[in-house]
Amino acid sequence: MKKTPIIFHKIFLSLFSLMILMGVFMYFTQYEMVAMMFEHLGFPAAMVIPLAIAKLLGLTALWINKFKVIKLLAYIGFVVDLIAATAAHLAAGDP
């Protein structure tokens, strides 16, 4: 097997993980601002911390290659999260 696809996968996964980790860090350190943003988008503020924990668990599942089904579910969860976030921003009229 060629090493090039594996290298690209690790680079993409690293960049994606950094993006998600920056968001999770913001969820924990800037809770009030994130909670106001969630309410502006129509979501309850009580979703902030559980969503941050779910994202951390999802990243853990992506980096641990032991269970393929859990890794697949983590990818599905991130796709649903990103599509829902895009739809919420578009519905709220954000640029």
Side-chain angles (χ1 to χ4, degrees), residues 8-87:
F8 282 132
H9 178 261
K10 292 294 181 185
I11 290 171
F12 173 77
L13 185 58
S14 298
L15 293 173
F16 180 75
S17 297
L18 282 173
M19 181 185 75
I20 297 295
L21 282 174
M22 286 189 292
V24 168
F25 180 75
M26 188 118 165
Y27 285 10
F28 286 126
T29 59
Q30 304 289 327
Y31 177 78
E32 292 81 18
M33 183 186 71
V34 174
M36 285 185 352
M37 193 169 55
F38 267 57
E39 289 173 351
H40 167 72
L41 295 173
F43 297 109
M47 279 183 57
V48 174
I49 298 300
L51 185 60
I53 293 169
K55 286 182 178 186
L56 285 175
L57 290 174
L59 285 178
T60 303
L62 292 182
W63 281 99
I64 297 174
N65 288 326
K66 193 167 186 178
F67 303 106
K68 300 294 182 189
V69 173
I70 294 176
K71 186 176 181 177
L72 177 65
L73 290 173
Y75 275 121
I76 292 170
F78 281 121
V79 167
V80 169
D81 176 58
L82 294 173
I83 290 173
T86 302

